């Protein structure tokens, strides 16, 4: 039971759908730098079977069982909009529960449902199809590359409080 402190649900880019994350029951052992592994004997026993390979990693912390340093671990614990790195349709989702995402997923640390609605709109999809890198034909099953630097540049229209409120209501229904 103690292991629950460092074992967290995870989802990859393919699990991110429009409006929601369809987690597939996968978990990640999150041993940040400074974790006293002896407090988690079951996790230590599990990891020990791969000790030799884990010791050879170049992306580790101070000990073989630790993950590398990361300035944004806390972003996996709070509300955020997540999106996959590759998609053939708008797939921005809201995630509030603690969940860790690997490098096939990006996140925006916010609970802005207006922003989520705009990002999943057909107008934004038309915009990104013209501006983002595409693998194949974007109109025939090709996938767009949703790198953070491209998503940052998506223009978000201003809206009145009333307009935002209406969009937020629709987004919450979609969620």
């Amino acid at each position: 039971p103690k292991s629950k402190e460092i074992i967290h649900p995870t989802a990859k880019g393919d699990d991110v759908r429009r409006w929601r994350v369809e987690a597939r029951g996968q978990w990640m052992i999150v041993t940040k730098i400074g974790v006293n592994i002896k407090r988690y004997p079951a996790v230590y026993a599990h990891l020990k079977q791969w000790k030799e390979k884990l010791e050879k990693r170049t992306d580790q912390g101070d000990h073989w069982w630790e993950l590398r340093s990361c300035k944004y671990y806390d972003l996996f614990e709070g509300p955020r909009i997540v999106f996959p790195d590759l998609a053939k349709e708008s797939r921005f989702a809201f995630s509030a529960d603690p969940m860790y995402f690997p490098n096939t997923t990006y996140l925006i640390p916010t609970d802005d449902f207006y922003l989520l609605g705009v990002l999943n709109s057909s107008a934004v999809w038309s915009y990104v199809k013209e501006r983002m890198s595409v693998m194949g034909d974007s109109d025939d099953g090709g996938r767009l590359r949703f790198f953070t630097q491209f998503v940052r540049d998506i223009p978000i229209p201003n809206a009145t409080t009333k307009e935002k409120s209406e969009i937020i209501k629709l987004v919450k229904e979609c969620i």
Side-chain angles (χ1 to χ4, degrees):
K2 185 93 177 131
S3 300
K4 286 171 36 176
E5 294 176 4
I6 60 170
I7 299 177
H8 301 282
T10 186
K12 57 185 185 253
D14 196 43
D15 301 329
V16 177
R17 299 282 151 219
R18 182 179 280 181
W19 310 118
R20 68 192 183 289
V21 176
E22 293 180 355
R24 300 177 192 201
Q26 296 181 329
W27 300 84
M28 178 184 287
I29 299 169
V30 182
T31 50
K32 301 173 189 172
I33 293 175
V35 165
N36 181 355
I37 198 68
K38 292 187 169 119
R39 291 185 59 217
Y40 310 99
V43 171
Y44 180 73
H46 176 73
L47 291 176
K48 197 169 181 181
Q49 64 186 311
W50 296 291
K51 181 180 179 185
E52 190 174 311
K53 285 184 180 181
L54 291 171
E55 286 177 326
K56 293 177 183 176
R57 291 181 308 137
T58 58
D59 65 338
Q60 63 181 297
D62 298 327
H63 304 283
W64 62 267
W65 62 81
E66 292 178 335
L67 297 174
R68 66 179 171 81
S69 176
C70 178
K71 293 180 181 178
Y72 53 88
Y73 279 127
D74 59 322
L75 299 182
F76 296 114
E77 304 288 331
R80 62 228 172 260
I81 293 172
V82 295
F83 54 98
D85 62 345
L86 292 170
K88 59 182 178 181
E89 62 191 1
S90 283
R91 287 182 20 210
F92 292 87
F94 179 69
S95 177
D97 297 327
M99 181 175 286
Y100 282 70
F101 297 89
N103 64 351
T104 58
T105 309
Y106 299 104
L107 61 88
I108 303 167
T110 185
D111 61 359
D112 186 341
F113 291 112
Y114 169 71
L115 175 62
L116 178 60
V118 171
L119 290 172
N120 274 327
S121 71
S122 58
V124 164
W125 182 249
S126 294
Y127 175 85
V128 299
K129 281 189 350 182
E130 297 298 321
R131 289 167 179 79
M132 289 189 177
S133 300
V134 64
M135 297 171 62
D137 182 343
S138 62
D139 290 320
D140 190 27
R143 286 168 169 67
L144 299 183
R145 301 297 314 254
F146 280 83
F147 290 130
T148 301
Q149 63 268 27
F150 300 133
V151 173
R152 262 192 215 122
D153 291 340
I154 295 172
I156 306 301
N158 291 325
T160 66
T161 302
K162 184 177 187 245
E163 290 168 334
K164 284 184 178 183
S165 178
E166 290 172 11
I167 290 172
I168 289 168
K169 181 181 174 190
L170 291 171
V171 166
K172 288 182 177 181
E173 286 178 24
C174 290
I175 292 173

